[in-house]
Amino acid sequence: MKKLSLVLASMILMLSVTACGGNGNSSNSAATAAPASADPAAGSSSTDQPAGKAKIKFYTFKADKPEEPIYQAVQAYNESQDKVEVEYESLVQNSDSTDFMKKLDILVAGGEVVDVFMTGNEDELLERASRGVVEPLNSFFEQESITPEDEYSKLLKLDDKVYGILPSSTQWLTVFNKDHLEAAGLSLPEMGWTWDDFREYAKKLTTPEHFGTYFHTWGEYPNIIAYTEKPHPQLSADLKPIFDDPSFEYFFNLRRTMEKEDKSVEPYADVLASNYHVLQQFFAGNASMLAVPSYAVRAALNLEKFPHEFQTMYAPLPRSVDTEELGMTNISGGGLAMGAKSENKEAAYDFIRWMSKESYTFTKEIPAFKGVDGTELINGFFGENTDLIDTASLSKTLFDPNIQMPDTFSVPYGSELKAIVENGFASFMLDNRSFDEVKTEMTAEVEKVVQANQK
């Protein structure tokens, strides 16, 4: 563990680094909340709660405005039951989760009691869980007699403890420009296509006017396989670097070959210099397909930011060539978490559960909660926008029964490890170095970070 002085400093000064259906009833509302914990430290029981609503505070980076979907969801929760009242505490008005987390850290360090808060990504939540400011939810699931893995496509866990629930999930998939696909005489790939197939698609889609695909600068793109098929993208279960895994050399060389030989992807140096938005080249028609998180779906409707006229079609991510597993993908998202010092933990848990099951009806985002009808949800969200979004392929991709993730684990210093891979890949591409040389450096850097965090 880090020394106490460093922990306090990080609580005040820490900068987080990131890269985004219910059944219609209130069966899980506060009126039927999980029983009080047998452990008094876990929060006040219903018999100890004063008459009237339990009051809790919800800290968020979403704006305190009536048109904000999260704000609307909180108001709907307050109106759905008569046991809990949630006070909406927005610390920023620009939806900047990094700025929000810095302000929240200062409040917590100053003694503020936080009942529920949301984060913009997994690392922001788990870093705080490692410092003991987040309450594990395992005992609450047990009291409700549910297995959370059966309820959610992903949970935010550290050391086998659940610290956060995703109100919405971001799932990696492949998006296609329908016009380019048809012009190349290609059909949508099916579940089970490989990264070798991806390369062939990119070559066939490339024309003098556009590249076949685009790779962004984020740490996922040097080896997407590590994020979709490995328990951790940089570490083994015993916290050793995994850069000897064949997928790393394969994907590094795939990227170089597609750029240097196939000419099917925009040069990495140009991408760095241009500082594109991850979706910019695809919606501009300069790239025909893109492996990307599913927030690209809703972005297709933002014609002011991404003007385009073509319909986007969707397919699963490719799998690695040497695996028989189908449907492997990466699922991520920000979390809803309970403060460890909350005095109304049952109320906080009930609110978190309700938001995870019902808030999608306001945000129009894909929930991590599994109890939804995928086709009905997609048609409800985008049925009026089929000129821009192919709802059939989208529903098939997001809700295919083969979709799965490996049994993953996280570490609170994950953003540091991701940056090491980003830097190693940049050196590989820009300096034309060998993979073995870069691998040695990345391994040494990851080992240093792991050792520093085990003191």
Side-chain angles (χ1 to χ4, degrees):
M1 298 299 292
K2 294 184 178 180
K3 296 181 180 178
L4 181 60
S5 60
L6 293 177
V7 173
L8 284 174
S10 70
M11 290 176 70
I12 298 175
L13 301 175
M14 188 277 305
L15 292 174
S16 298
V17 181
T18 72
C20 116
N23 50 16
N25 62 37
S26 300
S27 62
N28 198 55
S29 71
T32 56
S37 170
D39 180 3
S44 303
S45 70
S46 58
T47 56
D48 296 329
Q49 182 65 46
K53 288 190 174 185
K55 298 183 185 298
I56 61 173
K57 289 185 177 181
F58 169 53
Y59 290 84
T60 175
F61 53 88
K62 299 298 184 179
D64 186 2
K65 297 179 180 178
E67 63 268 25
E68 165 58 48
I70 290 293
Y71 179 90
Q72 295 171 3
V74 172
Q75 302 314 309
Y77 172 76
N78 283 337
E79 295 170 2
S80 71
Q81 42 71 46
D82 59 3
K83 298 295 185 182
V84 182
E85 181 178 343
V86 179
E87 184 177 343
Y88 191 94
E89 295 283 349
S90 178
L91 300 185
V92 296
Q93 296 297 307
N94 58 359
S95 295
D96 187 326
S97 68
T98 300
D99 190 24
F100 163 76
M101 294 310 305
K102 288 192 291 181
K103 292 183 178 182
L104 186 67
D105 284 341
I106 293 172
L107 289 178
V108 172
E112 181 78 8
V113 175
V114 174
D115 295 303
V116 179
F117 67 97
M118 68 185 301
T119 66
N121 60 72
E122 183 173 343
D123 288 341
E124 288 176 341
L125 194 154
L126 295 181
E127 196 281 333
R128 284 147 186 88
S130 72
R131 294 197 260 114
V133 300
V134 185
E135 182 73 14
L137 301 178
N138 301 63
S139 63
F140 298 93
F141 290 126
E142 292 171 3
Q143 291 161 10
E144 201 180 348
S145 298
I146 65 169
T147 302
E149 289 80 4
D150 294 340
E151 297 267 312
Y152 300 99
S153 59
K154 181 174 181 177
L155 297 159
L156 302 188
K157 302 170 70 173
L158 188 64
D159 298 330
D160 294 324
K161 294 182 178 179
V162 178
Y163 286 98
I165 301 177
L166 281 66
S168 62
S169 66
T170 301
Q171 177 179 311
W172 279 66
L173 41 67
T174 314
V175 296
F176 289 85
N177 181 317
K178 181 181 180 181
D179 294 344
H180 292 183
L181 201 64
E182 291 180 345
L186 296 171
S187 59
L188 274 177
E190 296 291 331
M191 176 77 72
W193 70 314
T194 69
W195 285 104
D196 280 357
D197 297 328
F198 184 92
R199 177 188 175 189
E200 292 304 312
Y201 263 72
K203 287 194 290 186
K204 292 175 181 178
L205 287 165
T206 298
T207 73
E209 288 74 36
H210 58 257
F211 292 102
T213 191
Y214 170 82
F215 289 108
H216 201 47
T217 57
W218 293 342
E220 292 90 348
Y221 283 94
N223 183 8
I224 297 176
I225 294 171
Y227 281 84
T228 59
E229 300 183 17
K230 306 300 176 186
H232 190 278
Q234 294 93 26
L235 297 174
S236 62
D238 58 356
L239 303 184
K240 303 296 184 183
I242 63 169
F243 302 128
D244 282 327
D245 185 274
S247 67
F248 278 91
E249 185 170 11
Y250 168 84
F251 219 94
F252 273 50
N253 286 325
L254 177 72
R255 290 284 306 276
R256 178 179 280 173
T257 301
M258 291 179 71
E259 176 179 325
K260 304 295 184 182
E261 297 181 16
D262 300 346
K263 310 293 184 182
S264 63
V265 62
E266 187 165 354
Y268 180 74
D270 294 349
V271 173
L272 280 177
S274 300
N275 195 30
Y276 297 126
H277 185 283
V278 63
L279 301 175
Q280 181 174 333
Q281 292 298 79
F282 175 74
F283 283 122
N286 297 327
S288 300
M289 68 176 177
L290 174 64
V292 70
S294 56
Y295 50 65
V297 177
R298 188 157 296 280
L301 304 181
N302 189 347
L303 297 182
E304 181 176 349
K305 187 172 185 178
F306 302 114
H308 66 286
E309 296 181 351
F310 63 85
Q311 185 189 54
T312 302
M313 304 187 77
Y314 308 87
L317 274 183
R319 61 176 173 84
S320 57
V321 177
D322 58 354
T323 183
E324 298 298 324
E325 294 286 347
L326 296 181
M328 302 299 289
T329 190
N330 178 272
I331 298 174
S332 62
L336 290 168
M338 183 190 303
K341 293 185 178 181
S342 172
E343 296 178 354
N344 288 295
K345 289 188 171 67
E346 285 79 16
Y349 173 75
D350 185 79
F351 172 63
I352 289 172
R353 279 278 282 159
W354 188 95
M355 289 288 285
S356 73
K357 297 170 70 174
E358 303 289 350
S359 66
Y360 81 93
T361 61
F362 299 90
T363 64
K364 305 301 182 185
E365 295 175 342
I366 307 301
F369 178 62
K370 294 180 180 180
V372 298
D373 183 313
T375 300
E376 180 180 337
L377 181 147
I378 294 300
N379 288 335
F381 284 179
F382 306 115
E384 297 180 355
N385 307 109
T386 53
D387 57 328
L388 297 173
I389 294 173
D390 178 47
T391 55
S393 63
L394 177 59
S395 178
K396 181 180 179 181
T397 297
L398 289 178
F399 297 100
D400 189 294
N402 292 301
I403 290 295
Q404 59 178 309
M405 287 183 61
D407 292 330
T408 61
F409 69 93
S410 300
V411 293
Y413 45 89
S415 59
E416 296 179 65
L417 304 183
K418 188 177 183 181
I420 289 171
V421 176
E422 290 174 351
N423 294 335
F425 180 74
S427 180
F428 173 80
M429 293 295 290
L430 299 177
D431 302 327
N432 200 33
R433 301 172 68 196
S434 71
F435 173 77
D436 286 339
E437 186 178 6
V438 172
K439 179 186 73 173
T440 299
E441 292 181 1
M442 293 192 303
T443 298
E445 290 298 313
V446 167
E447 289 174 343
K448 288 179 183 178
V449 172
V450 173
Q451 291 169 5
N453 282 273
Q454 290 179 328
K455 294 180 179 178

